[in-house]
Amino acid sequence: MDNHQVSDNKRLAKNTAALYCRMLLSIAIGLYTTRVVLNTLGAEDYGIYNVVGGIVAMLSFLNAAMSGATSRFMAFELGRADFQRLRNTFSTALLIHAGIALVIFIVAETAGLWFVNAKLVIPADRLAAANWVYQFSILAAMVNVMQVPYNASIIAHEKMTVYAYVEILNVSLKLIIVYLLVIGTFDKLILYGGLTLCICIVIIFVYRGYCRRYFEECRTRLVYDKSILVPMLSFFGWDLYGNMCVTARQQGTNVLLNLFFGPIANAASGIATTVNGTLLGFTYNILMAARPPIIKSYAAGNIPVMLCMINNISKYMLLLVGAILIPILLEMPYIMQLWLKNVPEYTVVFCRLIFISGCIGIVNSAVIAGIHATGRIKLLSLLSGSFFLINLPVIYVFLRLGAPPWMAYIVHGVFVLPALIANCLILNRYVPEFRPWKFLFCNFASAVCVITLSLAVTVGLYYAVPRPSFGRLVLLAVASVVSVGIGTYLFVMNAATRRLCRNYISGIVMKLYPR
C-alpha cells in the first residue's frame, strides 16, 4: 500500500468519523424532536404534514438527480486536476439549479396544488392549514435546490467535517423549533411548517458563505459552458428517471396509504421513514465520504483502488447496520412505546419491514457509486429505476384486494434484490474488472453469515430474558455489537486488515496506559 493510498484511507476514515458524529447527534435530536412534534401536532396533523410535504418531495427527484450529477462532475474534474473546468462546472450547475427551482415552483403551484385540494383525504377543518404547509414546503424545496451546488463542492473537496459543524447548528435550530411549537399559541401545523422553512433558509446561507470563502470555484462569475452543460444534462436526464422512480415509490406509497387508510396510516409511515432515515443515515454518510475518492480513482485510471473501496464499503456498512438493527428489530415494540408512548397503528411493522429492505439498499448504494463514477448511467436508471416504479401498481392491486397497509412495504422489499443484481451486472459491463458474482457471494455473503450468527446469539438471549425492559435492550445491543465485531474480525477481515486493526487498538491502549 503506497503512501498516497494510505493518505486517502486516513482522509476517508477522518471524514467518516466526522459524519458518524454528525449522525449520532442527528439521531439523538431527531428521535426527541419527532416524539415532541408527534405529541404536539397529534397523529392526524402529523400525518397531514407528511403527506402534504410529500407532494413537494415528489418534485425533489429533480434536485436529487442534479445533486448526483453535480457532485460527480466536480469530483471528476478534481481527480483530473483541471481547475478551470471545475470553475465552469460549478457555474453551469448553479444556472441549471436555478432552472430546476423554477420548474418545481410552476409544477407545484399548478398540478400539485390541485392534487392537494381535490384528491388527498384531509379533514375539511384542516384544509387551510394543509395549504399553508404546502406553500412552505414549496419554498423549502426551492431553497434546498439552490443549496445543492454548494453541498457538491464540499463533498468533492472531501471537507466532511463542515457537515458535522453545520449539523450542530441544524439540530440546535430544530430544538428551538420544538420549544416554540410547544409554547406557541398559533396553529401548530402552520407554525411547524413555517419554522421548518426558516431553518432551510439559514442553512443555505451558512453553506454558501463557507463555500465562497474557501473554494475559489464558488466565487467565479456565472458562465455558460456548452461542453460541460451537455454531458451534465445528459447525466442529469438519465439520473432524473432513476431518482423519480425512487421518490415516486415512497411518496406514491404515502398517497396510496392515505387514499385507502387515511392520515393515521401516513403518521405511521412518516415515523417509520424518519426512523429508517435516522438509523441508516450514517451508512449513507460513509458512502458520501467514499464517493469522491471512488470517482477520483476512476478519473485517474486507478481501477483496483476503486473496486477495493466499493467492496469494503458495501461489506462493512452492512455489518455496521446489522450490529445496530438486530436488537432494534427484536425490541421494536418496547422501543416505540418507550419513545412515543402513543404509538400510531402499524408503526412497528412498518419500521421492521423498511429496515430489512434498507439493508440490501445499502449494498446497492455502493454499487451505484461505482456506476456513477463512469458517468454512464442510462442502463442503471432504466433497469434499476423501473424495479422501484413498478412497486406502485403492485401495491395498488394488493390494497384494492383488501390487503393490510404493511403489504406495501413487503412489496418494497421484494423488488430491492433484483435491482441490486441488475446494478452489479451493469457495473461489470462498464468496468470488466468488477466481478458481480464474486462480489455478491464472497463479500455480501460473508457479511450475511456474520449477521446471521449474531442474530442467533441475540435471539437466544431475547427468549432467555422474556420480560421487556431497558436492561434487556442493553444486553441485546451489547451481544449484537460484540458478536458482529468478533465475527467480522475472524471471518471477514483479511490478514492485513486484522493487523491494522490490532495496531490501531494497541495504539489506543498505549495512549491510555503509557508505560
Side-chain angles (χ1 to χ4, degrees):
M1 186 179 296
D2 57 33
N3 292 333
H4 180 70
Q5 189 172 348
V6 170
S7 176
D8 285 345
N9 289 339
K10 288 182 177 179
R11 183 168 60 252
L12 177 58
K14 178 181 177 181
N15 288 334
T16 300
L19 292 172
Y20 189 80
C21 293
R22 173 181 183 263
M23 177 274 302
L24 291 176
L25 186 62
S26 296
I27 286 179
I29 303 300
L31 295 179
Y32 171 73
T33 55
T34 300
R35 171 181 172 171
V36 176
V37 169
L38 175 62
N39 291 335
T40 304
L41 294 182
E44 185 176 76
D45 272 7
Y46 188 80
I48 290 172
Y49 181 83
N50 276 281
V51 72
V52 170
I55 300 300
V56 177
M58 289 182 70
L59 302 175
S60 68
F61 64 81
L62 293 168
N63 183 27
M66 205 59 231
S67 175
T70 304
S71 60
R72 186 267 170 190
F73 278 86
M74 294 191 71
F76 193 86
E77 299 304 337
L78 278 171
R80 296 201 309 176
D82 191 335
F83 297 105
Q84 180 58 48
R85 281 186 65 86
L86 177 64
R87 286 192 289 269
N88 291 349
T89 298
F90 176 84
S91 177
T92 303
L94 203 58
L95 290 172
I96 293 173
H97 277 80
I100 293 173
L102 181 61
V103 169
I104 289 177
F105 178 78
I106 293 172
V107 174
E109 292 290 5
T110 52
L113 189 62
W114 166 82
F115 189 83
V116 168
N117 288 278
K119 294 297 181 181
L120 288 184
V121 179
I122 298 173
D125 62 329
R126 302 306 294 149
L127 190 59
N131 274 279
W132 274 103
V133 169
Y134 183 69
Q135 296 299 324
F136 290 141
S137 298
I138 293 172
L139 293 175
M142 295 175 66
V143 170
N144 286 332
V145 165
M146 295 306 299
Q147 178 180 314
V148 168
Y150 298 101
N151 286 9
S153 295
I154 294 172
I155 294 170
H157 286 276
E158 301 182 59
K159 300 294 184 181
M160 304 305 174
T161 52
V162 175
Y163 279 105
Y165 295 135
V166 175
E167 186 62 20
I168 294 174
L169 172 63
N170 188 26
V171 297
S172 300
L173 293 175
K174 287 181 179 179
L175 286 175
I176 294 174
I177 277 185
V178 168
Y179 175 72
L180 294 176
L181 192 64
V182 171
I183 67 171
T185 57
F186 197 67
D187 185 292
K188 304 291 187 181
L189 183 57
I190 297 175
L191 181 62
Y192 184 60
L195 292 174
T196 301
L197 170 63
C198 292
I199 287 183
C200 293
I201 294 172
V202 170
I203 295 302
I204 187 177
F205 275 106
V206 172
Y207 277 127
R208 183 178 182 274
Y210 176 86
C211 290
R212 289 182 63 84
R213 179 174 181 179
Y214 292 103
F215 304 143
E216 184 181 348
E217 69 270 15
C218 298
R219 298 193 298 269
T220 187
R221 61 185 178 85
L222 294 179
V223 174
Y224 171 81
D225 191 330
K226 187 176 179 179
S227 67
I228 296 174
L229 180 67
V230 172
M232 185 178 286
L233 285 179
S234 176
F235 188 101
F236 160 66
W238 289 113
D239 205 27
L240 174 64
Y241 176 75
N243 281 282
M244 178 187 69
C245 293
V246 174
T247 303
R249 183 189 68 162
Q250 182 56 48
Q251 301 306 329
T253 299
N254 283 338
V255 171
L256 289 174
L257 290 174
N258 177 267
L259 295 177
F260 282 94
F261 301 100
I264 299 300
N266 290 126
S269 179
I271 292 170
T273 304
T274 298
V275 174
N276 178 66
T278 302
L279 293 178
L280 298 185
F282 80 97
T283 60
Y284 296 104
N285 285 334
I286 295 173
L287 187 65
M288 184 191 298
R291 183 184 170 95
I294 288 175
I295 296 172
K296 292 173 184 177
S297 296
Y298 180 82
N302 200 341
I303 302 300
V305 171
M306 169 193 171
L307 296 181
C308 181
M309 293 185 68
I310 292 173
N311 289 336
N312 288 335
I313 289 164
S314 61
K315 182 167 51 181
Y316 291 115
M317 282 199 306
L318 185 60
L319 289 164
L320 280 170
V321 169
I324 295 172
L325 288 190
I326 288 172
I328 291 176
L329 288 172
L330 292 173
E331 294 284 11
M332 185 64 69
Y334 173 74
I335 292 172
M336 284 294 167
Q337 191 64 40
L338 185 67
W339 172 36
L340 297 176
K341 297 191 182 300
N342 299 317
V343 184
E345 190 178 5
Y346 309 120
T347 301
V348 171
V349 66
F350 281 2
C351 284
R352 282 173 167 165
L353 292 173
I354 288 177
F355 286 158
I356 292 170
S357 62
C359 288
I360 303 176
I362 288 166
V363 180
N364 200 13
S365 298
V367 177
I368 290 173
I371 299 173
H372 277 198
T374 69
R376 303 161 70 183
I377 61 170
K378 179 179 179 179
L379 277 177
L380 167 68
S381 296
L382 285 176
L383 295 180
S384 185
S386 297
F387 279 120
F388 290 114
L389 192 60
I390 202 174
N391 280 218
L392 294 180
V394 175
I395 291 170
Y396 177 82
V397 170
F398 275 113
L399 297 184
R400 188 73 176 177
L401 293 174
W406 45 261
M407 180 58 70
Y409 288 103
I410 290 181
V411 174
H412 283 196
V414 167
F415 283 95
V416 173
L417 187 56
L420 169 61
I421 295 173
N423 291 339
C424 287
L425 295 174
I426 292 169
L427 182 56
N428 169 253
R429 177 172 180 170
Y430 298 144
V431 184
E433 295 87 345
F434 177 77
R435 298 287 184 256
W437 305 116
K438 180 180 178 181
F439 173 79
L440 291 173
F441 291 106
C442 293
N443 291 330
F444 190 30
S446 63
V448 171
C449 289
V450 170
I451 292 172
T452 303
L453 291 173
S454 176
L455 179 62
V457 172
T458 311
V459 168
L461 291 173
Y462 177 80
Y463 286 107
V465 185
R467 179 173 296 181
S469 65
F470 186 75
R472 187 176 75 170
L473 174 61
V474 173
L475 175 64
L476 296 183
V478 171
S480 177
V481 171
V482 171
S483 57
V484 169
I486 293 173
T488 300
Y489 182 84
L490 294 176
F491 305 115
V492 178
M493 292 181 179
N494 57 30
T497 305
R498 284 198 292 268
R499 185 169 57 254
L500 287 174
C501 185
R502 289 195 300 269
N503 292 339
Y504 180 74
I505 294 174
S506 299
I508 294 176
V509 172
M510 291 297 294
K511 289 181 180 179
L512 293 176
Y513 303 101
R515 293 180 179 178

